[in-house]
Amino acid sequence: MTEAILLVGGKGTRLRPLTVNTPKPMVRAAGVPFLTHQLARARAAGVDHIVLATSYLAEVFEPHFGDGSALGLHIEYVTEEEPLGTGGAIRNVASRLRSGPDDPVLIFNGDILTGLDIRALVATHERTNADVSLHLTKVTDPRAYGLVPTDDTGRVLAFLEKPQSPEEIVTDQINAGAYVFRRSLIDTIPAGRPVSVERETFPGLLAAGAHLQGMVDSTYWLDLGTPAAFVRGSADLVLGRAPSPAVPGRCGDRLILPTARVAPDAKLTGGTVVGEGARISEGARISGSTILPGAVIEPGAVITDSLIGTRARIGERSVLTGTVIGDGAFVGARNELLQGARVWCDARIPAGAVRFSSDE
C-alpha cells in the first residue's frame, strides 16, 4: 500500500460552533488537528502518497501540512468547487493517483477515529481479489447506521438503510468508513456530479456483480460527528484508549501543551488537554475536556466533558458540563451550562446570567 485518499471536505455542521472558523478535520484532538492522527496512522501502515479531497475552508489545510514531508508523506490537495458527496469526491481526485489499474487505493473518511489494522484490511483485499474492501465494525445498537450483512467468507451481500423496526436488524455490522478500492473502479464513478459512495456506488457495484469484501475489525471506533463524541475521542487519545502515534506527549490523565500555564492546585483528569498559551487558574477542576490554545479558565471553575474554544474565557466558579464554547466567547462568573449547551463564537454571557439550579 502506497497511496490513499482522505475525504476532508465536509462542513461539519453537527459540530458547530467548533467548525465556524475551522474545518472539522482541523479541530484539535489531543493537542493536534484531528487529521494529523489519521495521516500519522496511514504513514505507519506504509502509505506514502495521500491526496486530500477538500472543500469547506479548503485554504486551511495546505498552510498547516505543506507537502507532508514533516510527516514522511507526499500530500496533494484537490478542492471541490461544489460539494460532490463521498463518491464524487473520490472521483474528483482520481487524476492525482499514481497507482496501476489493479493496485489498491486506501480511502478514509475524515471524521472517524479508529484503531483499524490498515495493513490487515489491505491484505484481506488482496487475498480475496476483491474489487472493493470495506472496514466493518459491530455496534450494540445499529439503528442509527446502515447495515452491511456478509456471508461466511466475508463477502458483502447487501447495503441496508437504517432499520426502522427490530425485524429489519439482520446484522450488527455497519460500514465503518474506511475502504480499499481497486484503482480502475474509481474511474467508473460518474464525474462532475454529487455521488454517495454508500447509497449509489456500493449498491451499484453489488448489483453489477462486483466483489465487495467486508473485514470486521472491532477495535476502537468512534464517529466524531457530534461535539460530545469529539470531546470523548480527544480524551480517549490522551488516555491511550485510542491509538495514535501523533499524540504530542505521554498518554495519561492529562496533556499540557508547551506555554500553557496551570495553577499548582488546579485538578486536571480524564484525558483533559490544555492547549498552547491557555491558562488554568487556581482551584479549577477540569475532567475529560479540551481547552484550546489561548483559552482562560478563571479560579474555581468546574468543567466536565466540554470543549473550550480558542481564546475563550470561562469566568470564576462557573460550572460547565457537556458544553461547547466557541472561539473568543466569554462566559461570565457563576454561570451554569449543562449537557448540550453551545455558546457561539465571540458571544458574551454576563455573570450569573444562565443557571439550571437556584442561585447560592
Side-chain angles (χ1 to χ4, degrees), residues 90-140:
I90 293 168
R91 180 66 177 85
N92 192 50
V93 307
S95 63
R96 301 296 184 92
L97 299 174
R98 305 167 178 174
S99 304
D102 290 326
D103 290 339
V105 177
L106 183 68
I107 298 171
F108 288 121
N109 279 327
D111 54 3
I112 301 295
L113 177 59
T114 176
L116 168 68
D117 186 336
I118 297 170
R119 291 182 186 273
L121 181 61
V122 176
T124 296
H125 178 80
E126 294 178 334
R127 175 179 54 80
T128 60
N129 196 32
D131 294 306
V132 179
S133 297
L134 298 87
H135 171 209
L136 307 179
T137 192
K138 294 178 180 289
V139 294
T140 303

mmCIF file of all heavy atoms in Angstrom, residues 90-140:
data_model
loop_
_atom_site.group_PDB
_atom_site.id
_atom_site.type_symbol
_atom_site.label_atom_id
_atom_site.label_comp_id
_atom_site.label_asym_id
_atom_site.label_seq_id
_atom_site.Cartn_x
_atom_site.Cartn_y
_atom_site.Cartn_z
ATOM 1 N N ILE A 90 -14.180 11.229 -4.288
ATOM 2 C CA ILE A 90 -13.184 10.220 -4.667
ATOM 3 C C ILE A 90 -12.873 10.332 -6.162
ATOM 4 O O ILE A 90 -11.704 10.347 -6.572
ATOM 5 C CB ILE A 90 -13.699 8.810 -4.317
ATOM 6 C CG1 ILE A 90 -13.802 8.640 -2.795
ATOM 7 C CG2 ILE A 90 -12.784 7.736 -4.906
ATOM 8 C CD1 ILE A 90 -14.570 7.405 -2.365
ATOM 9 N N ARG A 91 -13.919 10.427 -6.980
ATOM 10 C CA ARG A 91 -13.723 10.525 -8.434
ATOM 11 C C ARG A 91 -12.999 11.811 -8.800
ATOM 12 O O ARG A 91 -12.181 11.843 -9.735
ATOM 13 C CB ARG A 91 -15.085 10.482 -9.122
ATOM 14 C CG ARG A 91 -15.016 10.578 -10.643
ATOM 15 C CD ARG A 91 -14.333 9.357 -11.227
ATOM 16 N NE ARG A 91 -14.315 9.403 -12.683
ATOM 17 C CZ ARG A 91 -13.387 10.031 -13.405
ATOM 18 N NH1 ARG A 91 -12.407 10.692 -12.800
ATOM 19 N NH2 ARG A 91 -13.437 10.005 -14.735
ATOM 20 N N ASN A 92 -13.236 12.875 -8.067
ATOM 21 C CA ASN A 92 -12.679 14.182 -8.393
ATOM 22 C C ASN A 92 -11.160 14.231 -8.241
ATOM 23 O O ASN A 92 -10.515 15.096 -8.837
ATOM 24 C CB ASN A 92 -13.328 15.239 -7.494
ATOM 25 C CG ASN A 92 -13.049 16.650 -7.942
ATOM 26 O OD1 ASN A 92 -13.229 16.984 -9.114
ATOM 27 N ND2 ASN A 92 -12.596 17.492 -7.020
ATOM 28 N N VAL A 93 -10.588 13.350 -7.425
ATOM 29 C CA VAL A 93 -9.132 13.366 -7.210
ATOM 30 C C VAL A 93 -8.425 12.267 -7.995
ATOM 31 O O VAL A 93 -7.210 12.103 -7.873
ATOM 32 C CB VAL A 93 -8.781 13.241 -5.707
ATOM 33 C CG1 VAL A 93 -9.517 14.288 -4.896
ATOM 34 C CG2 VAL A 93 -9.092 11.852 -5.170
ATOM 35 N N ALA A 94 -9.159 11.522 -8.820
ATOM 36 C CA ALA A 94 -8.585 10.349 -9.485
ATOM 37 C C ALA A 94 -7.354 10.688 -10.315
ATOM 38 O O ALA A 94 -6.413 9.888 -10.398
ATOM 39 C CB ALA A 94 -9.650 9.680 -10.355
ATOM 40 N N SER A 95 -7.323 11.877 -10.918
ATOM 41 C CA SER A 95 -6.203 12.228 -11.797
ATOM 42 C C SER A 95 -4.895 12.373 -11.030
ATOM 43 O O SER A 95 -3.811 12.335 -11.637
ATOM 44 C CB SER A 95 -6.514 13.532 -12.537
ATOM 45 O OG SER A 95 -6.645 14.610 -11.627
ATOM 46 N N ARG A 96 -4.949 12.521 -9.717
ATOM 47 C CA ARG A 96 -3.732 12.680 -8.914
ATOM 48 C C ARG A 96 -3.156 11.337 -8.448
ATOM 49 O O ARG A 96 -2.079 11.312 -7.864
ATOM 50 C CB ARG A 96 -4.014 13.551 -7.691
ATOM 51 C CG ARG A 96 -4.528 14.939 -8.011
ATOM 52 C CD ARG A 96 -3.497 15.768 -8.761
ATOM 53 N NE ARG A 96 -3.983 17.126 -8.971
ATOM 54 C CZ ARG A 96 -3.769 18.149 -8.148
ATOM 55 N NH1 ARG A 96 -3.058 17.954 -7.034
ATOM 56 N NH2 ARG A 96 -4.242 19.339 -8.420
ATOM 57 N N LEU A 97 -3.880 10.260 -8.687
ATOM 58 C CA LEU A 97 -3.404 8.951 -8.253
ATOM 59 C C LEU A 97 -2.336 8.429 -9.201
ATOM 60 O O LEU A 97 -2.366 8.690 -10.408
ATOM 61 C CB LEU A 97 -4.573 7.964 -8.168
ATOM 62 C CG LEU A 97 -5.675 8.322 -7.179
ATOM 63 C CD1 LEU A 97 -6.837 7.338 -7.304
ATOM 64 C CD2 LEU A 97 -5.150 8.348 -5.746
ATOM 65 N N ARG A 98 -1.430 7.647 -8.645
ATOM 66 C CA ARG A 98 -0.314 7.117 -9.431
ATOM 67 C C ARG A 98 -0.408 5.605 -9.616
ATOM 68 O O ARG A 98 0.405 5.005 -10.309
ATOM 69 C CB ARG A 98 0.997 7.451 -8.732
ATOM 70 C CG ARG A 98 1.186 8.932 -8.430
ATOM 71 C CD ARG A 98 2.333 9.145 -7.467
ATOM 72 N NE ARG A 98 2.558 10.570 -7.187
ATOM 73 C CZ ARG A 98 3.427 11.008 -6.287
ATOM 74 N NH1 ARG A 98 4.131 10.140 -5.574
ATOM 75 N NH2 ARG A 98 3.588 12.303 -6.097
ATOM 76 N N SER A 99 -1.380 4.979 -8.994
ATOM 77 C CA SER A 99 -1.476 3.521 -8.970
ATOM 78 C C SER A 99 -1.842 2.961 -10.337
ATOM 79 O O SER A 99 -2.499 3.613 -11.146
ATOM 80 C CB SER A 99 -2.536 3.078 -7.954
ATOM 81 O OG SER A 99 -2.266 3.605 -6.679
ATOM 82 N N GLY A 100 -1.447 1.692 -10.563
ATOM 83 C CA GLY A 100 -1.888 0.971 -11.743
ATOM 84 C C GLY A 100 -3.325 0.523 -11.598
ATOM 85 O O GLY A 100 -3.908 0.587 -10.500
ATOM 86 N N PRO A 101 -3.955 0.024 -12.688
ATOM 87 C CA PRO A 101 -5.385 -0.300 -12.675
ATOM 88 C C PRO A 101 -5.800 -1.295 -11.598
ATOM 89 O O PRO A 101 -6.913 -1.189 -11.065
ATOM 90 C CB PRO A 101 -5.617 -0.879 -14.082
ATOM 91 C CG PRO A 101 -4.524 -0.302 -14.910
ATOM 92 C CD PRO A 101 -3.344 -0.163 -14.004
ATOM 93 N N ASP A 102 -4.946 -2.254 -11.278
ATOM 94 C CA ASP A 102 -5.313 -3.275 -10.299
ATOM 95 C C ASP A 102 -4.740 -3.005 -8.908
ATOM 96 O O ASP A 102 -4.923 -3.821 -7.997
ATOM 97 C CB ASP A 102 -4.857 -4.659 -10.779
ATOM 98 C CG ASP A 102 -5.661 -5.147 -11.972
ATOM 99 O OD1 ASP A 102 -6.870 -4.831 -12.034
ATOM 100 O OD2 ASP A 102 -5.083 -5.812 -12.845
ATOM 101 N N ASP A 103 -4.065 -1.887 -8.739
ATOM 102 C CA ASP A 103 -3.460 -1.579 -7.447
ATOM 103 C C ASP A 103 -4.518 -1.137 -6.436
ATOM 104 O O ASP A 103 -5.556 -0.592 -6.808
ATOM 105 C CB ASP A 103 -2.414 -0.471 -7.589
ATOM 106 C CG ASP A 103 -1.172 -0.929 -8.325
ATOM 107 O OD1 ASP A 103 -0.946 -2.156 -8.372
ATOM 108 O OD2 ASP A 103 -0.439 -0.076 -8.855
ATOM 109 N N PRO A 104 -4.256 -1.346 -5.153
ATOM 110 C CA PRO A 104 -5.202 -0.907 -4.117
ATOM 111 C C PRO A 104 -5.016 0.561 -3.763
ATOM 112 O O PRO A 104 -3.890 1.064 -3.692
ATOM 113 C CB PRO A 104 -4.838 -1.803 -2.922
ATOM 114 C CG PRO A 104 -3.376 -2.081 -3.102
ATOM 115 C CD PRO A 104 -3.123 -2.106 -4.585
ATOM 116 N N VAL A 105 -6.132 1.253 -3.560
ATOM 117 C CA VAL A 105 -6.110 2.636 -3.091
ATOM 118 C C VAL A 105 -6.932 2.701 -1.808
ATOM 119 O O VAL A 105 -8.108 2.323 -1.786
ATOM 120 C CB VAL A 105 -6.689 3.606 -4.136
ATOM 121 C CG1 VAL A 105 -6.729 5.027 -3.584
ATOM 122 C CG2 VAL A 105 -5.883 3.551 -5.433
ATOM 123 N N LEU A 106 -6.318 3.166 -0.740
ATOM 124 C CA LEU A 106 -6.984 3.268 0.554
ATOM 125 C C LEU A 106 -7.769 4.566 0.629
ATOM 126 O O LEU A 106 -7.298 5.613 0.166
ATOM 127 C CB LEU A 106 -5.932 3.225 1.662
ATOM 128 C CG LEU A 106 -6.393 3.249 3.106
ATOM 129 C CD1 LEU A 106 -7.118 1.956 3.454
ATOM 130 C CD2 LEU A 106 -5.206 3.451 4.037
ATOM 131 N N ILE A 107 -8.971 4.518 1.200
ATOM 132 C CA ILE A 107 -9.821 5.708 1.318
ATOM 133 C C ILE A 107 -10.334 5.808 2.749
ATOM 134 O O ILE A 107 -10.872 4.844 3.299
ATOM 135 C CB ILE A 107 -10.989 5.654 0.321
ATOM 136 C CG1 ILE A 107 -10.432 5.623 -1.109
ATOM 137 C CG2 ILE A 107 -11.921 6.847 0.514
ATOM 138 C CD1 ILE A 107 -11.463 5.360 -2.175
ATOM 139 N N PHE A 108 -10.153 7.000 3.354
ATOM 140 C CA PHE A 108 -10.617 7.271 4.714
ATOM 141 C C PHE A 108 -11.652 8.380 4.708
ATOM 142 O O PHE A 108 -11.516 9.360 3.979
ATOM 143 C CB PHE A 108 -9.470 7.774 5.604
ATOM 144 C CG PHE A 108 -8.458 6.746 5.981
ATOM 145 C CD1 PHE A 108 -7.120 6.926 5.640
ATOM 146 C CD2 PHE A 108 -8.810 5.615 6.699
ATOM 147 C CE1 PHE A 108 -6.174 6.002 6.010
ATOM 148 C CE2 PHE A 108 -7.867 4.689 7.074
ATOM 149 C CZ PHE A 108 -6.540 4.885 6.724
ATOM 150 N N ASN A 109 -12.655 8.286 5.574
ATOM 151 C CA ASN A 109 -13.484 9.431 5.914
ATOM 152 C C ASN A 109 -12.760 10.255 6.970
ATOM 153 O O ASN A 109 -12.143 9.704 7.891
ATOM 154 C CB ASN A 109 -14.843 8.982 6.453
ATOM 155 C CG ASN A 109 -15.794 8.613 5.343
ATOM 156 O OD1 ASN A 109 -15.751 9.187 4.260
ATOM 157 N ND2 ASN A 109 -16.666 7.653 5.585
ATOM 158 N N GLY A 110 -12.876 11.580 6.859
ATOM 159 C CA GLY A 110 -12.075 12.452 7.709
ATOM 160 C C GLY A 110 -12.604 12.700 9.096
ATOM 161 O O GLY A 110 -12.077 13.560 9.804
ATOM 162 N N ASP A 111 -13.628 11.952 9.530
ATOM 163 C CA ASP A 111 -14.184 12.202 10.860
ATOM 164 C C ASP A 111 -14.320 10.922 11.680
ATOM 165 O O ASP A 111 -15.122 10.865 12.612
ATOM 166 C CB ASP A 111 -15.539 12.898 10.754
ATOM 167 C CG ASP A 111 -16.518 12.147 9.858
ATOM 168 O OD1 ASP A 111 -16.172 11.059 9.364
ATOM 169 O OD2 ASP A 111 -17.638 12.653 9.660
ATOM 170 N N ILE A 112 -13.534 9.891 11.334
ATOM 171 C CA ILE A 112 -13.598 8.629 12.063
ATOM 172 C C ILE A 112 -12.289 8.406 12.822
ATOM 173 O O ILE A 112 -11.203 8.424 12.233
ATOM 174 C CB ILE A 112 -13.839 7.439 11.107
ATOM 175 C CG1 ILE A 112 -15.140 7.631 10.334
ATOM 176 C CG2 ILE A 112 -13.853 6.126 11.895
ATOM 177 C CD1 ILE A 112 -16.388 7.621 11.187
ATOM 178 N N LEU A 113 -12.392 8.207 14.133
ATOM 179 C CA LEU A 113 -11.249 7.832 14.962
ATOM 180 C C LEU A 113 -11.297 6.328 15.167
ATOM 181 O O LEU A 113 -12.277 5.806 15.694
ATOM 182 C CB LEU A 113 -11.316 8.560 16.313
ATOM 183 C CG LEU A 113 -10.230 8.228 17.328
ATOM 184 C CD1 LEU A 113 -8.844 8.522 16.777
ATOM 185 C CD2 LEU A 113 -10.469 9.001 18.624
ATOM 186 N N THR A 114 -10.265 5.642 14.729
ATOM 187 C CA THR A 114 -10.321 4.184 14.739
ATOM 188 C C THR A 114 -8.965 3.568 15.002
ATOM 189 O O THR A 114 -7.922 4.160 14.684
ATOM 190 C CB THR A 114 -10.870 3.660 13.387
ATOM 191 O OG1 THR A 114 -10.832 2.242 13.375
ATOM 192 C CG2 THR A 114 -10.051 4.184 12.218
ATOM 193 N N GLY A 115 -8.997 2.380 15.563
ATOM 194 C CA GLY A 115 -7.788 1.579 15.737
ATOM 195 C C GLY A 115 -7.635 0.539 14.652
ATOM 196 O O GLY A 115 -6.898 -0.434 14.824
ATOM 197 N N LEU A 116 -8.310 0.715 13.524
ATOM 198 C CA LEU A 116 -8.282 -0.240 12.421
ATOM 199 C C LEU A 116 -6.865 -0.683 12.081
ATOM 200 O O LEU A 116 -5.956 0.141 11.958
ATOM 201 C CB LEU A 116 -8.919 0.403 11.185
ATOM 202 C CG LEU A 116 -8.730 -0.322 9.847
ATOM 203 C CD1 LEU A 116 -9.479 -1.643 9.832
ATOM 204 C CD2 LEU A 116 -9.162 0.578 8.689
ATOM 205 N N ASP A 117 -6.693 -2.001 11.873
ATOM 206 C CA ASP A 117 -5.445 -2.547 11.362
ATOM 207 C C ASP A 117 -5.447 -2.338 9.848
ATOM 208 O O ASP A 117 -6.013 -3.136 9.094
ATOM 209 C CB ASP A 117 -5.340 -4.030 11.720
ATOM 210 C CG ASP A 117 -3.995 -4.633 11.341
ATOM 211 O OD1 ASP A 117 -3.327 -4.098 10.428
ATOM 212 O OD2 ASP A 117 -3.613 -5.663 11.933
ATOM 213 N N ILE A 118 -4.860 -1.248 9.404
ATOM 214 C CA ILE A 118 -4.903 -0.870 7.993
ATOM 215 C C ILE A 118 -4.233 -1.921 7.120
ATOM 216 O O ILE A 118 -4.743 -2.291 6.053
ATOM 217 C CB ILE A 118 -4.247 0.510 7.794
ATOM 218 C CG1 ILE A 118 -5.034 1.585 8.559
ATOM 219 C CG2 ILE A 118 -4.160 0.863 6.305
ATOM 220 C CD1 ILE A 118 -4.328 2.927 8.626
ATOM 221 N N ARG A 119 -3.102 -2.430 7.571
ATOM 222 C CA ARG A 119 -2.397 -3.451 6.783
ATOM 223 C C ARG A 119 -3.254 -4.706 6.616
ATOM 224 O O ARG A 119 -3.243 -5.340 5.557
ATOM 225 C CB ARG A 119 -1.071 -3.802 7.452
ATOM 226 C CG ARG A 119 -0.036 -2.677 7.412
ATOM 227 C CD ARG A 119 1.268 -3.136 8.057
ATOM 228 N NE ARG A 119 2.233 -2.077 8.173
ATOM 229 C CZ ARG A 119 3.115 -1.729 7.234
ATOM 230 N NH1 ARG A 119 3.113 -2.378 6.080
ATOM 231 N NH2 ARG A 119 3.990 -0.755 7.440
ATOM 232 N N ALA A 120 -4.018 -5.065 7.649
ATOM 233 C CA ALA A 120 -4.867 -6.255 7.564
ATOM 234 C C ALA A 120 -5.992 -6.053 6.557
ATOM 235 O O ALA A 120 -6.372 -6.983 5.843
ATOM 236 C CB ALA A 120 -5.442 -6.599 8.936
ATOM 237 N N LEU A 121 -6.535 -4.820 6.484
ATOM 238 C CA LEU A 121 -7.581 -4.534 5.507
ATOM 239 C C LEU A 121 -7.043 -4.669 4.085
ATOM 240 O O LEU A 121 -7.683 -5.258 3.209
ATOM 241 C CB LEU A 121 -8.148 -3.132 5.728
ATOM 242 C CG LEU A 121 -9.286 -2.704 4.790
ATOM 243 C CD1 LEU A 121 -10.500 -3.616 4.941
ATOM 244 C CD2 LEU A 121 -9.669 -1.242 5.034
ATOM 245 N N VAL A 122 -5.848 -4.147 3.852
ATOM 246 C CA VAL A 122 -5.232 -4.265 2.530
ATOM 247 C C VAL A 122 -4.925 -5.727 2.209
ATOM 248 O O VAL A 122 -5.159 -6.198 1.086
ATOM 249 C CB VAL A 122 -3.960 -3.406 2.449
ATOM 250 C CG1 VAL A 122 -3.269 -3.598 1.097
ATOM 251 C CG2 VAL A 122 -4.286 -1.930 2.670
ATOM 252 N N ALA A 123 -4.425 -6.467 3.205
ATOM 253 C CA ALA A 123 -4.122 -7.883 2.988
ATOM 254 C C ALA A 123 -5.382 -8.678 2.659
ATOM 255 O O ALA A 123 -5.361 -9.567 1.790
ATOM 256 C CB ALA A 123 -3.434 -8.461 4.227
ATOM 257 N N THR A 124 -6.486 -8.366 3.340
ATOM 258 C CA THR A 124 -7.762 -9.024 3.042
ATOM 259 C C THR A 124 -8.200 -8.720 1.618
ATOM 260 O O THR A 124 -8.665 -9.607 0.881
ATOM 261 C CB THR A 124 -8.843 -8.556 4.038
ATOM 262 O OG1 THR A 124 -8.479 -8.970 5.355
ATOM 263 C CG2 THR A 124 -10.208 -9.127 3.684
ATOM 264 N N HIS A 125 -8.054 -7.487 1.217
ATOM 265 C CA HIS A 125 -8.421 -7.062 -0.140
ATOM 266 C C HIS A 125 -7.632 -7.860 -1.182
ATOM 267 O O HIS A 125 -8.199 -8.364 -2.163
ATOM 268 C CB HIS A 125 -8.128 -5.567 -0.279
ATOM 269 C CG HIS A 125 -8.413 -5.000 -1.628
ATOM 270 N ND1 HIS A 125 -9.677 -4.663 -2.036
ATOM 271 C CD2 HIS A 125 -7.579 -4.722 -2.670
ATOM 272 C CE1 HIS A 125 -9.619 -4.184 -3.270
ATOM 273 N NE2 HIS A 125 -8.359 -4.208 -3.674
ATOM 274 N N GLU A 126 -6.335 -7.996 -0.959
ATOM 275 C CA GLU A 126 -5.501 -8.689 -1.938
ATOM 276 C C GLU A 126 -5.718 -10.194 -1.901
ATOM 277 O O GLU A 126 -5.753 -10.856 -2.943
ATOM 278 C CB GLU A 126 -4.039 -8.330 -1.687
ATOM 279 C CG GLU A 126 -3.751 -6.842 -1.954
ATOM 280 C CD GLU A 126 -2.326 -6.443 -1.664
ATOM 281 O OE1 GLU A 126 -1.686 -7.108 -0.816
ATOM 282 O OE2 GLU A 126 -1.854 -5.458 -2.277
ATOM 283 N N ARG A 127 -5.907 -10.752 -0.710
ATOM 284 C CA ARG A 127 -6.105 -12.205 -0.581
ATOM 285 C C ARG A 127 -7.397 -12.652 -1.253
ATOM 286 O O ARG A 127 -7.446 -13.721 -1.881
ATOM 287 C CB ARG A 127 -6.116 -12.587 0.900
ATOM 288 C CG ARG A 127 -6.446 -14.052 1.175
ATOM 289 C CD ARG A 127 -6.426 -14.363 2.665
ATOM 290 N NE ARG A 127 -7.273 -13.480 3.428
ATOM 291 C CZ ARG A 127 -8.586 -13.618 3.535
ATOM 292 N NH1 ARG A 127 -9.219 -14.597 2.882
ATOM 293 N NH2 ARG A 127 -9.289 -12.775 4.289
ATOM 294 N N THR A 128 -8.442 -11.844 -1.146
ATOM 295 C CA THR A 128 -9.740 -12.230 -1.705
ATOM 296 C C THR A 128 -9.942 -11.744 -3.137
ATOM 297 O O THR A 128 -10.973 -12.026 -3.749
ATOM 298 C CB THR A 128 -10.880 -11.661 -0.831
ATOM 299 O OG1 THR A 128 -10.785 -10.232 -0.795
ATOM 300 C CG2 THR A 128 -10.793 -12.217 0.592
ATOM 301 N N ASN A 129 -8.947 -10.987 -3.656
ATOM 302 C CA ASN A 129 -9.043 -10.428 -5.006
ATOM 303 C C ASN A 129 -10.325 -9.612 -5.176
ATOM 304 O O ASN A 129 -11.027 -9.693 -6.189
ATOM 305 C CB ASN A 129 -8.987 -11.538 -6.069
ATOM 306 C CG ASN A 129 -8.692 -10.995 -7.465
ATOM 307 O OD1 ASN A 129 -7.986 -9.998 -7.608
ATOM 308 N ND2 ASN A 129 -9.244 -11.631 -8.480
ATOM 309 N N ALA A 130 -10.632 -8.804 -4.177
ATOM 310 C CA ALA A 130 -11.863 -8.022 -4.165
ATOM 311 C C ALA A 130 -11.739 -6.789 -5.055
ATOM 312 O O ALA A 130 -10.625 -6.309 -5.343
ATOM 313 C CB ALA A 130 -12.195 -7.591 -2.742
ATOM 314 N N ASP A 131 -12.871 -6.285 -5.495
ATOM 315 C CA ASP A 131 -12.915 -5.009 -6.197
ATOM 316 C C ASP A 131 -12.892 -3.849 -5.199
ATOM 317 O O ASP A 131 -12.225 -2.838 -5.413
ATOM 318 C CB ASP A 131 -14.168 -4.932 -7.069
ATOM 319 C CG ASP A 131 -14.136 -5.945 -8.198
ATOM 320 O OD1 ASP A 131 -13.157 -5.958 -8.968
ATOM 321 O OD2 ASP A 131 -15.094 -6.742 -8.292
ATOM 322 N N VAL A 132 -13.655 -3.993 -4.129
ATOM 323 C CA VAL A 132 -13.654 -3.028 -3.034
ATOM 324 C C VAL A 132 -13.704 -3.806 -1.730
ATOM 325 O O VAL A 132 -14.446 -4.784 -1.614
ATOM 326 C CB VAL A 132 -14.869 -2.073 -3.096
ATOM 327 C CG1 VAL A 132 -14.834 -1.095 -1.921
ATOM 328 C CG2 VAL A 132 -14.908 -1.310 -4.408
ATOM 329 N N SER A 133 -12.914 -3.380 -0.757
ATOM 330 C CA SER A 133 -12.981 -3.974 0.587
ATOM 331 C C SER A 133 -13.365 -2.894 1.580
ATOM 332 O O SER A 133 -12.911 -1.751 1.472
ATOM 333 C CB SER A 133 -11.641 -4.598 0.966
ATOM 334 O OG SER A 133 -11.327 -5.659 0.090
ATOM 335 N N LEU A 134 -14.218 -3.263 2.525
ATOM 336 C CA LEU A 134 -14.746 -2.302 3.494
ATOM 337 C C LEU A 134 -14.396 -2.720 4.909
ATOM 338 O O LEU A 134 -14.510 -3.897 5.262
ATOM 339 C CB LEU A 134 -16.275 -2.206 3.395
ATOM 340 C CG LEU A 134 -16.902 -1.735 2.095
ATOM 341 C CD1 LEU A 134 -17.113 -2.889 1.132
ATOM 342 C CD2 LEU A 134 -18.253 -1.069 2.388
ATOM 343 N N HIS A 135 -13.994 -1.742 5.700
ATOM 344 C CA HIS A 135 -13.872 -1.965 7.133
ATOM 345 C C HIS A 135 -15.273 -1.957 7.734
ATOM 346 O O HIS A 135 -16.033 -0.992 7.574
ATOM 347 C CB HIS A 135 -13.019 -0.859 7.769
ATOM 348 C CG HIS A 135 -13.014 -0.877 9.270
ATOM 349 N ND1 HIS A 135 -12.836 0.262 10.019
ATOM 350 C CD2 HIS A 135 -13.164 -1.893 10.162
ATOM 351 C CE1 HIS A 135 -12.873 -0.043 11.300
ATOM 352 N NE2 HIS A 135 -13.083 -1.346 11.413
ATOM 353 N N LEU A 136 -15.645 -3.038 8.393
ATOM 354 C CA LEU A 136 -16.915 -3.137 9.101
ATOM 355 C C LEU A 136 -16.642 -3.214 10.593
ATOM 356 O O LEU A 136 -15.634 -3.774 11.025
ATOM 357 C CB LEU A 136 -17.690 -4.385 8.659
ATOM 358 C CG LEU A 136 -17.914 -4.559 7.152
ATOM 359 C CD1 LEU A 136 -18.670 -5.859 6.889
ATOM 360 C CD2 LEU A 136 -18.668 -3.373 6.562
ATOM 361 N N THR A 137 -17.535 -2.655 11.374
ATOM 362 C CA THR A 137 -17.432 -2.795 12.817
ATOM 363 C C THR A 137 -18.792 -3.189 13.366
ATOM 364 O O THR A 137 -19.829 -2.934 12.746
ATOM 365 C CB THR A 137 -16.924 -1.493 13.475
ATOM 366 O OG1 THR A 137 -16.562 -1.742 14.835
ATOM 367 C CG2 THR A 137 -17.974 -0.394 13.440
ATOM 368 N N LYS A 138 -18.783 -3.827 14.531
ATOM 369 C CA LYS A 138 -20.021 -4.251 15.174
ATOM 370 C C LYS A 138 -20.421 -3.232 16.233
ATOM 371 O O LYS A 138 -19.574 -2.749 16.993
ATOM 372 C CB LYS A 138 -19.840 -5.637 15.817
ATOM 373 C CG LYS A 138 -19.595 -6.765 14.819
ATOM 374 C CD LYS A 138 -19.388 -8.095 15.553
ATOM 375 C CE LYS A 138 -19.148 -9.240 14.577
ATOM 376 N NZ LYS A 138 -20.381 -9.595 13.843
ATOM 377 N N VAL A 139 -21.703 -2.884 16.267
ATOM 378 C CA VAL A 139 -22.209 -1.931 17.248
ATOM 379 C C VAL A 139 -23.357 -2.559 18.025
ATOM 380 O O VAL A 139 -24.079 -3.418 17.519
ATOM 381 C CB VAL A 139 -22.675 -0.623 16.580
ATOM 382 C CG1 VAL A 139 -21.504 0.113 15.960
ATOM 383 C CG2 VAL A 139 -23.738 -0.894 15.526
ATOM 384 N N THR A 140 -23.507 -2.125 19.262
ATOM 385 C CA THR A 140 -24.552 -2.673 20.122
ATOM 386 C C THR A 140 -25.938 -2.309 19.617
ATOM 387 O O THR A 140 -26.857 -3.141 19.598
ATOM 388 C CB THR A 140 -24.376 -2.153 21.561
ATOM 389 O OG1 THR A 140 -23.066 -2.501 22.012
ATOM 390 C CG2 THR A 140 -25.405 -2.774 22.488
#
